[in-house]
Each structure stands twice: as C-alpha cells, then as structure tokens.
Amino acid sequence: MQAPTPPLCYLPATMNDRYPLTDEQIAAYRRDGFIQLDAVVSPAELTELREAVESAVREESRDQDPNRPKNSYEQIFIQKVNLWRRHPSVAKFVLLRRFGDIAARLMGAPARIWHDQALFKEPRTGANTPWHQDTVYWPHEPKELQTTLWLALKDTTIQNGCMSFLPGTHKLRGIEPVNLAEPQELYKVAPQTRGLKPVACPLKAGSCTFHNGLTFHYAGPNRSDDMREAIAIIYMPDHTTYTGADHMVTNNQGFKVGDPLESELFPPVSA
Ligand SMILES: O=C(O)CCC(=O)C(=O)O
C-alpha cells in the first residue's frame, strides 16, 4: 500500500504563523459566501511572492506573440494554472500552511490544494470577468465548501478590476454554468440574484478575499495603465471525489469517477 502523501510544509516557522481569524469572520464568511482579510502576507513576503509570480508568468508567456489576436476568453486576463507545480518559488507560497489553515477554518474541513492560478488583467483592456460561480466547472463531488483565496499582488481598485461578490449566492443551487467566453446576462442565468446588491472589494497589495466556489463573483475591466496582478489559490475539502467532468487539472491523470482527489497533485495544506 502506498504511504499517504505527507503534509507539505517546508517553510520557516515564521512564514507559517497563524493568521488571527476570528469566529465572527468565519460566521460572516459562511453567511455571505466571501470575506476580505487584510495583510495575509508581510511586506517582505509580498515582494518575494509578486516577483515569483511575475517571473513565472513572464517565463510561461515567452513564446507567445503579444500582438496575436486574442479570443474573448483571453481578453479577460492572462491565466496561468498550477504554477506551484513548475515554479518552486511560487510553491513556497501556494503551499503555505498559514493560508491552508484559514481555508480549513472557513470551510470547516481539512484543506487540500485544488489548483492555483495567476490572473493578470492587462492594462486598458475592455474585458470584464463575467458574473459566475466556480465550482460548477470543477469535477468535484460534493461542491459546497470549496474556497478560493484571491490575493492582490498590487493594489486592486474598481478602476483596475477588483473582485465583487453577490452575498449569500453560495446558497443557490442548480444554476447552469455561465459560458465565460460568451457570457449570458446574469439575471437570465440566475433570476434569483435580481435585487441583490454586489459588494466590491478593493484590496491593498498583500490582502485577499476568500470566496466560496458557489458565490457569484465578478471583476470589472482594467481601465488603468498598469497590469492588475493577482494569484488565486483554490482549496477543496479532504475526501472530495472525482466526477469525471472535463477539467485541465484532472484530465489524463488516471482518475476514475468516484476516486478521491488525493494524489500528490492535491497536497493537504492545513493542520
Ligand atoms: O481575477 C479575476 O478577474 C476573476 C477571478 C475569479 O473568477 C476567481 O478567482 O474565481
């Protein structure tokens, strides 16, 4: 029998200090489906993380012609998935126990990495990130607890495309996935959201939001002259199983329907 994957935690203790999350914040997250948490990394960590992610994105974009015509999905952002698998300098942060513990406390279950993604909105581009839920695209069962840490690597504002959320929408069920490349009007997809007031979350660099994978969220276009830079780290609860749905992270990895997603691709990251 194969030994279980050991918890990956090869950081100096200081980097794994616990973030002081309160019971009130956990209750607010579970009520609203999202929460803003300030200064989850120190200024020195932020500099290191931003440089690591920028360098990884640069390296992985090297062979792409920046002037090629972009399809409507590519106009939303530059997206690089699972950087932690290819860039140890990014893995050091993605696997951070400090983040994993917050995710586990918000979910109420031990956390595993699902995947990460760098999400860079290019300056002066017209595309917004349409209102959508996340978990509906993922080959996961069950889908109720998954959570995303969205960390601003630079200040994010309404002008450059900060995240917005529709509170309470993580409790809605059975909504068809939005096609992000050809988004339908939100009220057509989810008439239940009519009348709900979006909450925009501008963030200082080094601060983050966590959102439940079923919470509707959106980000506006980047109307500034600078790149909007964020990294999302996405967690799933232990014992999440594979549904067989198409997804770039799990395709051709040998999983069968019903398998627990518990290989070295999905390390445990909470205590
Ligand atoms: O960064 C964005 O514009 C959107 C991010 C998003 O949808 C997510 O992290 O789930």
Side-chain angles (χ1 to χ4, degrees):
M1 196 174 122
Q2 226 186 348
T5 318
L8 280 165
C9 180
Y10 44 79
L11 297 165
T14 49
M15 284 194 79
N16 272 320
D17 285 349
R18 277 198 122 193
Y19 184 84
L21 187 68
T22 65
D23 290 345
E24 289 71 28
Q25 287 173 313
I26 295 172
Y29 171 84
R30 292 186 187 167
R31 180 192 63 224
D32 299 334
F34 71 96
I35 190 152
Q36 175 174 335
L37 300 177
D38 291 331
V40 290
V41 288
S42 69
E45 289 168 345
L46 171 65
T47 303
E48 188 182 338
L49 172 60
R50 185 172 51 226
E51 283 172 8
V53 177
E54 284 176 348
S55 143
V57 170
R58 219 172 18 248
E59 191 185 317
E60 298 201 2
S61 307
R62 219 177 16 218
D63 296 334
Q64 272 174 348
D65 171 6
N67 299 317
R68 75 194 188 289
K70 294 194 177 124
N71 65 33
S72 49
Y73 188 76
E74 289 173 316
Q75 287 172 35
I76 301 175
F77 38 44
I78 300 169
Q79 179 183 33
K80 300 290 175 195
V81 173
N82 258 350
L83 289 178
W84 79 271
R85 303 279 300 164
R86 301 178 296 282
H87 302 273
S89 56
V90 178
K92 172 175 170 179
F93 287 93
V94 169
L95 303 177
L96 204 53
R97 182 70 66 92
R98 185 195 312 152
F99 297 160
D101 277 341
I102 300 173
R105 293 184 67 202
L106 293 174
M107 293 193 295
R112 284 181 183 267
I113 295 292
W114 163 223
H115 62 275
D116 68 49
Q117 44 190 352
L119 296 165
F120 285 17
K121 263 189 194 288
E122 294 178 90
R124 299 274 161 210
T125 53
N128 60 33
T129 313
W131 285 106
H132 67 283
Q133 299 171 295
D134 293 331
T135 324
V136 290
Y137 307 110
W138 299 341
H140 289 182
E141 185 55 40
K143 295 181 186 290
E144 281 71 31
L145 296 179
Q146 282 74 347
T147 193
T148 296
L149 182 172
W150 192 97
L151 194 151
L153 298 171
K154 294 180 176 174
D155 292 356
T156 57
T157 60
I158 291 185
Q159 201 211 7
N160 74 4
C162 68
M163 292 277 273
S164 293
F165 303 94
L166 277 179
T169 47
H170 58 307
K171 295 180 182 145
L172 300 176
R173 294 288 179 273
I175 297 171
E176 285 300 308
V178 170
N179 177 349
L180 290 173
E182 288 172 41
Q184 308 94 304
E185 221 240 301
L186 172 65
Y187 296 146
K188 287 220 172 85
V189 183
Q192 309 92 315
T193 61
R194 208 176 269 281
L196 294 178
K197 209 165 166 272
V199 177
C201 288
L203 294 173
K204 286 275 167 217
S207 294
C208 75
T209 50
F210 273 82
H211 66 266
N212 179 298
L214 289 171
T215 305
F216 270 95
H217 53 285
Y218 163 94
N222 181 358
R223 297 199 170 89
S224 79
D225 294 327
D226 198 13
M227 188 79 91
R228 188 220 68 181
E229 296 184 0
I231 181 162
I233 307 173
I234 308 164
Y235 303 89
M236 58 185 169
D238 236 353
H239 310 308
T240 299
T241 60
Y242 178 59
T243 63
D246 175 50
H247 194 280
M248 65 181 291
V249 172
T250 37
N251 289 352
N252 306 316
Q253 296 296 329
F255 294 110
K256 293 191 295 302
V257 172
D259 280 351
L261 291 172
E262 290 180 359
S263 73
E264 86 286 348
L265 260 178
F266 312 114
V269 281
S270 59

